[in-house]
């Protein structure tokens, strides 16, 4: 028979709502800056040619190659010495830093498929650089920006390592770390853990169900030229 008592127990007997709020706060803020910076930097790398372009591209590529676990200890030491541990914004910094490179390269490859004549026509019509960038180019990049948003949503929402190492206060924990509290030294509350896991994946399921077509569209569109 259907029994919702475990859900009631999880929602009333744990800090599930607080963990969900923390995860939403970190994810939303990180997504905003990842999409904004990824779009701007990707546009500059795609349209402009300057002396240190290859070095800058290599710099961002290194951010995709080096695993985060190899940098966990120095990042913890850096955050500890600068007093950045256990704050509401602590996780936002590494989320943006480590998820930005893939956003940049997706946007860069997509903008290559947009004809430069669009920007030239906007300049002839009197548009400045900022208006051309955000009023003309950015709407045309909606498919890839949605793709970036969905991919990075999953990355930030499900992130565990930074949330475990950099956050020590229960009130600042995210959902993935909060789920570990249902496991004790000698026992595991499996019904409560399963209910909490279902609650934690519900936002991701709804997001993917609503925007799954945009992932394929954005991935494929960057390979089509002209």
């Amino acid at each position: 028979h259907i029994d919702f008592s475990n859900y009631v127990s999880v929602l009333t007997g744990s800090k599930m709502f607080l963990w969900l709020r923390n995860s939403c706060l970190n994810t939303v803020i990180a997504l905003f800056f990842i999409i904004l910076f990824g779009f701007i930097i990707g546009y500059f790398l795609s349209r402009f040619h300057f002396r240190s372009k290859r070095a800058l591209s290599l710099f961002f590529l290194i951010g995709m190659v080096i695993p985060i676990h190899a940098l966990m200890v120095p990042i913890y030491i850096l955050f500890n010495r600068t007093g950045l541990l256990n704050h509401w914004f602590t996780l936002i910094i590494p989320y943006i830093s480590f998820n930005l490179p893939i956003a940049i390269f997706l946007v860069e490859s997509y903008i290559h498929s947009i004809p430069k004549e669009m920007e030239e026509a906007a300049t002839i019509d009197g548009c400045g650089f900022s208006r051309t960038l955000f009023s003309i180019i950015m709407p045309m990049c909606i498919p890839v920006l949605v793709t970036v948003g969905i991919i990075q949503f999953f990355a930030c929402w499900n992130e565990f390592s930074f949330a475990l190492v950099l956050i020590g206060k229960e009130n600042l924990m995210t959902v993935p770390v909060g789920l570990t509290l249902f496991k004790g030294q000698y026992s595991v509350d499996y019904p409560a853990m399963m209910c909490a896991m279902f609650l934690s994946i519900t936002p991701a399921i709804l997001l993917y169900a609503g925007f799954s077509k945009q992932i394929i569209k954005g991935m494929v569109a960057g390979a089509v030229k002209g």
Side-chain angles (χ1 to χ4, degrees):
H1 63 281
I2 300 176
D3 184 12
F4 294 100
S5 60
N6 289 314
Y7 289 96
V8 176
S9 175
V10 168
L11 295 175
T12 58
S14 68
K15 297 183 178 180
M16 191 66 189
F17 281 119
L18 184 61
W19 300 334
L20 288 171
R21 189 203 68 178
N22 294 336
S23 292
C24 289
L25 180 66
N26 292 328
T27 302
V28 170
I29 296 178
L31 273 182
F32 173 80
F33 287 105
I34 289 171
I35 293 174
L36 178 62
F37 293 156
F39 169 72
I40 295 175
I41 298 174
Y43 175 83
F44 275 88
L45 290 178
S46 175
R47 287 292 194 252
F48 293 91
H49 300 279
F50 45 93
R51 180 176 300 177
S52 57
K53 178 180 178 179
R54 291 178 61 87
L56 187 60
S57 298
L58 181 61
F59 174 77
F60 288 116
L61 181 61
I62 292 175
M64 297 175 59
V65 174
I66 299 179
I68 63 173
H69 304 89
L71 301 175
M72 196 64 67
V73 173
I75 288 177
Y76 175 80
I77 295 175
L78 177 63
F79 275 56
N80 186 34
R81 291 181 177 178
T82 54
L84 294 177
L85 294 177
N86 295 315
H87 294 285
W88 67 268
F89 56 83
T90 297
L91 296 176
I92 298 175
I93 301 172
Y95 286 1
I96 296 174
S97 302
F98 283 89
N99 293 318
L100 188 59
I102 188 171
I104 292 173
F105 284 103
L106 285 175
V107 173
E108 180 185 4
S109 63
Y110 186 88
I111 290 180
H112 278 303
S113 65
I114 300 177
K116 293 183 179 180
E117 289 76 12
M118 300 292 297
E119 298 156 68
E120 295 172 358
T123 303
I124 294 174
D125 290 338
C127 289
F129 175 77
S130 299
R131 185 172 182 182
T132 301
L133 182 62
F134 292 104
S135 298
I136 296 177
I137 303 300
M138 194 172 191
M140 298 178 67
C141 294
I142 290 298
V144 72
L145 294 180
V146 172
T147 301
V148 169
I150 295 174
I151 294 175
Q152 301 309 326
F153 172 85
F154 290 135
C156 296
W157 184 267
N158 296 321
E159 200 282 324
F160 180 79
S161 300
F162 285 125
L164 178 65
V165 174
L166 301 180
I167 297 295
K169 297 181 180 179
E170 187 175 350
N171 291 336
L172 297 174
M173 288 182 178
T174 57
V175 172
V177 179
L179 292 176
T180 63
L181 299 182
F182 291 97
K183 179 181 179 181
Q185 184 177 1
Y186 301 105
S187 64
V188 181
D189 189 354
Y190 284 108
M193 180 178 288
M194 294 299 106
C195 294
M197 290 177 63
F198 178 78
L199 292 174
S200 67
I201 66 175
T202 299
I205 293 175
L206 295 176
L207 183 69
Y208 184 82
F211 296 96
S212 59
K213 293 182 179 179
Q214 293 292 337
I215 297 179
I216 301 175
K217 184 178 179 181
M219 287 291 191
V220 175
V224 180
K225 302 295 182 181

